Amino acid sequence: MANPNPNPLSIIIVGAGIGGLSAAIALRQNGHTVSVLEKSPYIKDLGVAMHIPPNATGCLLTLGIDPSEHNAVKPSVLTQFTHNGEVMHREDIVAKSGMWQHPWYFMNRSSLHRALRKKAEDVGVNVVMDAEFNVTGVEGLHGESVTVKYGSGMKTGDLVIAADGIGSRLRGVVAPDAKLVPSGKSAYRFMVARSLVSKGLLREEGGEMWIWKGPDRRVVCYATEDNQSFNLVAIHPDSDDWSEKDRWGKPGDVQKLLSTFSGFTDDCLDILKLAEPQTLMIWRLLDMLPLDTWVKGRLALLGDAAHPFLPYQGQGASQALEDATSLAVVLPFGVKPDEVEEMLKLYETCRLERAHRIQEYTRISGQDHGQGVDMSKYTPYNFGHDEGQHSSGILQKWMGEMEREVKRENPIGPILPCNSV
Ligand SMILES: Cc1cc2nc3c(=O)[nH]c(=O)nc-3n(C[C@H](O)[C@H](O)[C@H](O)COP(=O)(O)OP(=O)(O)OC[C@H]3O[C@@H](n4cnc5c(N)ncnc54)[C@H](O)[C@@H]3O)c2cc1C
């Protein structure tokens, strides 16, 4: 693979979500030409927060995005209660934080999305967002180039990354039998101002995370936005009617939320009562059996398109970020167009087993009985991982076995530390 006349690859990414934008930045930083096609004309302001665990923080720092510069909050203490308020477990996160190579954060989802969008534009990614760019198909998977079709147009490149989310259209090209299945649960999500939460549970240093768990429902609440807000996720048996249009979320009903959790302790109910009808949303939680493969020729799936996540371990976005990091390792500047198919297979080798294993841990964490809510059991595997190092190790081994060399040559733009090959 030592290429005497290296050219950038022309890469098309479908979907400007967290995974698509992360991959676009990382691959552009490698020196490739990257276009992102997004069907939604604006970044959806979902007004909710998410976990950025240490394994995801490492990926973001490599992209040049530091969550601490975007009002993210470091957790201090995690307290798990029964639904009637007895303490089941308390964990000092600050004391444990030295165990991981990067900090753990709670971050507003829209802030992360905006930071990714800005970084992508700053490094020269071509991001187009319009209903016109609703990608409908892909052709030439095993040819010399690959073409995506959208609206009235088409675009040709050396490879396509399908980062089109949980409802992925391109997933069907790789895995025609894949099907999303209801998990049996849905989740209310909303934010409340910290100043409205009664003082009893609050800690001076902020960074609180509380979980109240009943037999078949739970409420997760954590600090975010510079400790000015709390993010709430209230998961319960799904009893809603879901039409096609609100398949990915719809407005929630405050009275229904309160009656669903009526048996919960007052500390929890007092916070649920702060939900505002204008911002309360409810999401149906969908799952999918693991795919046998994420790659077909010049097309690779990434993020929720490859592995949709239930929310019980806060790893959905992290795994999309790890996918992006891995792609950047196996596709350095200098890879030739006719080598793309085998490098995408290598990406799958790096990522598939870990993402599927975390999906399975997530399902176990979400069980009503059994290990239940004990997230800490899986924390070392989830958190203690550096995808840049992991993928680089696999690439090095592969090069040895194949007696091949993959070299970074004459990169344009800043170099990713993970690409030391
Ligand atoms: C409300 C909410 C809260 C969440 N909270 C957490 C959390 O706390 N922790 C966590 O780790 N994860 C969380 N997740 C999950 C996490 O956001 C996803 O795992 C992550 O966003 C996956 O990124 P993605 O890029 O694969 O997909 P997405 O972010 O869903 O992006 C997919 C993009 O593709 C676009 N698209 C779809 N089809 C097409 C098409 N045909 N053509 C062009 N564009 C298309 C969509 O418009 C979208 O912009 C949450 C998700 C939601 C919705």
Side-chain angles (χ1 to χ4, degrees), residues 14-20 37-40 44 46 48-51 109 133-135 163-166 169 189 222 283 302-305 314-318 320:
V14 181
I18 291 167
L37 310 182
E38 165 61 54
K39 70 176 181 180
S40 172
K44 293 176 200 105
L46 291 168
V48 289
M50 65 202 308
H51 287 262
R109 194 174 195 267
F133 298 108
N134 183 1
V135 171
D164 50 348
I166 187 166
R169 189 162 193 161
R189 300 193 66 121
Y222 52 82
W283 304 78
L302 176 146
D304 281 4
Q315 280 286 334
S318 313

Side-chain angles (χ1 to χ4, degrees), residues 386-406:
D386 180 327
E387 186 55 49
Q389 266 178 20
H390 174 72
S391 291
S392 294
I394 290 178
L395 177 63
Q396 294 286 355
K397 185 163 173 276
W398 177 86
M399 287 193 297
E401 283 164 8
M402 305 296 283
E403 298 185 355
R404 299 270 290 278
E405 196 182 2
V406 179

